[in-house]
Amino acid sequence: MDFELALPGEIRFGAGRFASLAGLAKGFGRRPLLVTGKSSFESGGRLKRFLDELEALGLVAARARAQGEPSAAEVDDAARIGREHGCDLVIAIGGGSAIDLAKAAAGLIPNGPHIRPYLEAVGDGSVFARDPLPLLAVPTTAGTGSEATRNAVVGTRAEGFKRSVRDARLMPRVALLDPELSLGCPTEVTLAAGMDALTQLIESLTSRRVTPPIEALCLSGIAAVGEALPRLARDGSDLEARGKMAYAACLSGIGLAHAGLGIVHALASSLGGLGGVPHTTACAMLLPGASALNRKALTEGRGDAGALERYRKAELALGREIPAFCAPFSFARFSRFGVEPAMIPALIAGAGAGNLKSNPADLTPDEIGRLVESAL
Ligand SMILES: [Fe+2]
């Protein structure tokens, strides 16, 4: 056995734990950059109460807001705000977009001014000379697991790229998971984020790079999704199911950070960067077909034979076969975002090389093209 396990400094999990965040923040700094998203957190009065709590403890926050999956320009802006305010700490409260924006800004504030040189593939190989600021990550949707990873995805279709900044020092010092925060999350977002988490769990589990602890964590996460996501499709106020999805999403982040992902995430990065398809939609639409395609190739002896058994374990944990589990949930087809058949070669060429490498099966460009086509 040979593995490494890198986790957030601390994971604090439980309903009601958000109340401890301000006090926790005081242990890390005095001038936080607070990064939020478009979530109900802003409108529910919680944000105001949290800012008051910070102030009562002598912490003065600067603010940045994620408008969606973060662009490089937004990261540069957030970092500039953080520098101007003299921030010594970053707090992210929101979905994956807010946490990724906060994470990239935490790296950039002491190092600025632009994030692009630090991005994989499109940067110049720069690494942060000064340590990133400490980051407290508080997810309000259960999806990306960004609260447990060392990378942030940055870039938009307009910028023509969507790539990671990756550094062990970007791992959140604290991941605080409070299922109550996701209670107001709309069903559509809950299901899309949940499908992202499930995809990450399945792709990490079946990855060529999976290790025994990651296999165990992924299977535990998949079982939680199997139980909770159908319940949340019926009733978004089911707090126990919200908790299970928050748990699963966090484990999916740990999974992908260690084992890498597969063909779905390889394509999701080019579908986002070139086609403007939201990450969660790309995952939800491709997961069933990609699983079938990988298994077919594995049965034909193309790839990591052990992954067939891991697919079987995944379905046992999920309680259903992957396509049957996904069937009741519907998501927008890629053509709605303007993706056309003529773009398929560019989408394949732009697919994330790292995730293609950890995909368990060796797939041909033809097979990958047909997979994308099936979701147009
Ligand atoms: Fe993902």
Side-chain angles (χ1 to χ4, degrees):
M1 212 183 289
D2 182 41
F3 66 84
E4 290 176 9
L5 204 52
L7 303 170
E10 220 182 314
I11 298 175
R12 295 190 174 204
F13 189 103
R17 289 224 175 215
F18 183 71
S20 67
L21 182 61
L24 195 62
K26 199 178 173 189
F28 289 91
R30 286 293 179 276
R31 298 183 74 81
L33 175 68
L34 174 62
V35 182
T36 54
K38 292 185 293 187
S39 70
S40 57
F41 178 80
E42 296 248 351
S43 50
R46 259 201 174 108
L47 177 64
K48 167 89 175 63
R49 280 201 300 281
F50 179 60
L51 287 169
D52 290 346
E53 283 166 19
L54 285 177
E55 208 180 305
L57 292 171
L59 276 67
V60 185
R63 300 280 315 278
R65 207 163 166 226
Q67 301 300 328
E69 295 174 14
S71 65
E74 281 171 314
V75 173
D76 294 352
D77 271 353
R80 182 183 47 74
I81 293 167
R83 265 192 303 279
E84 286 172 2
H85 187 70
C87 287
D88 53 7
L89 159 71
V90 179
I91 303 173
I93 305 173
S97 298
I99 297 176
D100 275 9
L101 175 60
K103 201 185 281 177
L108 199 58
I109 288 170
N111 292 288
H114 301 299
I115 194 68
R116 183 159 178 168
Y118 300 95
L119 297 181
E120 290 174 349
V122 297
D124 61 10
S126 292
V127 289
F128 295 129
R130 297 197 181 93
D131 282 348
L133 298 186
L135 170 66
L136 312 185
V138 184
T140 57
T141 61
T144 65
S146 183
E147 68 275 14
T149 72
R150 298 162 282 193
N151 73 299
V153 181
V154 175
T156 60
R157 174 163 56 172
E159 292 173 330
F161 59 84
K162 189 172 261 299
R163 295 289 174 184
S164 276
V165 50
R166 195 179 305 273
D167 189 307
R169 297 167 294 170
L170 292 177
M171 178 68 88
R173 297 287 189 88
V174 180
L176 188 145
L177 293 100
D178 182 343
E180 287 180 0
L181 295 180
S182 66
L183 280 175
C185 188
T187 306
E188 198 185 298
V189 178
T190 301
L191 296 181
M195 288 301 292
D196 184 18
L198 177 62
T199 306
Q200 290 171 180
L201 288 161
I202 290 174
E203 291 207 301
S204 299
L205 173 68
T206 55
S207 160
R208 293 179 198 249
R209 290 169 45 206
V210 74
T211 59
I214 295 304
E215 177 170 336
L217 292 175
C218 287
L219 285 169
S220 179
I222 291 167
V225 176
E227 202 186 322
L229 204 58
R231 272 164 63 178
L232 288 174
R234 292 190 297 271
D235 176 13
S237 68
D238 183 338
L239 185 62
E240 192 196 42
R242 290 284 187 191
K244 284 183 188 291
M245 286 310 299
Y247 168 78
C250 185
L251 295 185
S252 81
I254 297 171
L256 75 89
H258 291 83
L261 294 160
I263 183 65
V264 176
H265 276 80
L267 286 169
S269 81
S270 60
L271 281 160
L274 302 172
V277 180
H279 180 79
T280 51
T281 307
C283 290
M285 288 299 290
L286 292 176
L287 175 65
S291 302
L293 185 58
N294 272 340
R295 293 170 99 165
K296 177 175 169 286
L298 290 168
T299 310
E300 293 166 2
R302 290 185 280 143
D304 170 8
L308 272 176
E309 173 63 9
R310 297 199 293 280
Y311 269 115
R312 203 184 60 80
K313 286 182 185 171
E315 291 190 330
L316 271 178
L318 193 60
R320 300 190 73 172
E321 292 184 353
I322 294 165
F325 181 84
C326 299
F329 313 124
S330 65
F331 298 92
R333 304 192 72 82
F334 300 157
S335 52
R336 214 178 95 187
F337 305 95
V339 179
E340 294 169 359
M343 293 165 70
I344 289 177
L347 290 168
I348 296 172
N355 287 331
L356 274 181
K357 245 190 245 168
S358 46
N359 190 63
D362 305 317
L363 303 175
T364 67
D366 260 11
E367 286 173 322
I368 299 172
R370 282 199 298 276
L371 174 64
V372 176
E373 220 177 321
S374 70
L376 284 181

